[in-house]
Amino acid sequence: MAAYHEAYGPELLRLWRDSLRGLAGYRAGWFHGRVTLLVSESHPPALRAVQEAGWRQTVSDLTVHEIPGEHHELLRAPYVDRISRFRTG
């Protein structure tokens, strides 16, 4: 946690804390549609499996793509170009 605090400051830690508080009581409903899940290749396979299992409990049509880059880099060049090809609508 100290490394994240130094890199991103206390604002990010407050955002995480507040987000976790909000998620604690949330229960997702079923989504009858297509969802594309982009998963960082840096995520360990066990974590990826848990993420996919969670999504599969709430969506009827899930497609998972593994993409290069670390989670916090994905919206920056050069990784953002790879993500933009999955954009729809």
Side-chain angles (χ1 to χ4, degrees):
M1 284 305 255
Y4 275 103
H5 189 272
E6 288 179 31
Y8 300 105
E11 294 82 16
L12 182 60
L13 292 176
R14 278 195 295 274
L15 174 65
W16 285 351
R17 180 200 62 209
D18 295 345
S19 296
L20 289 173
R21 285 180 181 161
L23 288 171
Y26 179 76
R27 298 295 173 256
W30 188 255
F31 179 72
H32 297 280
R34 296 175 65 190
V35 172
T36 300
L37 177 62
L38 305 178
V39 180
S40 169
E41 68 182 12
S42 69
H43 276 62
L47 177 58
R48 201 169 328 150
V50 169
Q51 290 173 326
E52 286 184 37
W55 278 99
R56 290 189 191 287
Q57 291 178 7
T58 60
V59 301
S60 60
D61 185 4
L62 178 68
T63 303
V64 180
H65 294 277
E66 186 177 278
I67 55 175
E70 197 270 331
H71 178 81
H72 294 286
E73 298 173 327
L74 296 179
L75 294 179
R76 296 187 206 128
Y79 306 105
V80 71
D81 294 332
R82 294 183 179 114
I83 289 176
S84 65
R85 70 181 174 162
F86 295 101
R87 186 180 159 281
T88 60

